[in-house]
Amino acid sequence: MRRDRISKRAQLRTHYTNENYTQARSLLRPGQPPVPPAESTDQRTFEAELFHEVIDSHVDFTEFPFGIRRVRPHTDTIELVVENEKRAGRLLDRILPAYEPDGEVHGMPGLRIRQRNERGIEVHIMGRRTSAWLTGIPSPVWTRCEQTALEQVADIGWHALWGGPREWSDAELVFEQRWNTGEWARHVQAGAWCSSGLLRRLGIFHTITSADAVTGYKGLGINGYEGVGPVRWCIDVIHRRGVPYRKERLVAALTDPEFGLPVAAARHLDAIYPPGRNESCIRLDDDDRSGLIELRFQTFNYPSLHLGSCEPEYRVIAEGVERRIARVLSAGQ
């Protein structure tokens, strides 16, 4: 019986992470949730910012949600397996910090590459208990992506900060003090569990949904909450015409008491945003009102993802997307 339960938990975990069964089972730990949360406040906050950069840097069509093939969450780190070199380059461009003279710091302040090996690269925030592994492409390709980022920074007259001293630069310290402290920072940190939790479950947008594309962004607050309200993560789940949305299955996965997040339908918003008025928008939040997920289901036929008319550069992606959708629909998950 115990072996059957472990097997079931491992299989269910694959729906959230897109790992294979063996990978998922190897990371199950007695007494831990099957998709463990980040154990430290620093790690949760780091992953919250990383999630923002992952979705904000996603501007190309990809086979996997946000260009991340799978995630492998541990209590003290997370591994993001990127889809290809192009996606790796986009992500590094967003997270590696650089200073614009007489301007501001771009990227994630304090972020450094802690180590490079055959798996990929490990990034972290200096002086904090943080870690994320970026893998999925060979080590020399990560080196090439980093070199390209260096050249791009130099071309526009900025200063790369991630290859410098193993401490925060003055520019980063000033930027952090100005923008990432005070009441707003505390507000964001209070909802870090939500975005960190979404990052650790990115696979559900690949294994549960039958969408052509999934995009997202950090939205402004909305009515129905005190003050500015919780951080709102807007996720657009975009389908081609004639493909079912499968809204209920996605909501069930996100709200599952064992594998999901501590969220439920935001019924308190019904008086302001009646459900019948916009059936394609579902909002989920927690009891403390510190995190808000807004799922927005849309129909749109992207010509670039239609095999009959797509350009050669998108053919491999379009074929992958069609295989994924067929696999999800046939499995009936």
Side-chain angles (χ1 to χ4, degrees), residues 307-328:
L307 284 175
S309 59
C310 68
E311 300 177 6
E313 66 174 307
Y314 290 119
R315 179 163 292 277
V316 173
I317 294 172
E319 289 173 346
V321 169
E322 292 213 347
R323 284 195 303 270
R324 167 169 59 79
I325 293 174
R327 195 160 52 240
V328 170

Side-chain angles (χ1 to χ4, degrees), residues 197-216:
L198 285 170
L199 184 66
R200 289 171 169 252
R201 293 164 176 79
L202 273 188
I204 61 174
F205 297 107
H206 171 68
T207 65
I208 301 294
T209 69
S210 51
D212 275 3
V214 183
T215 63

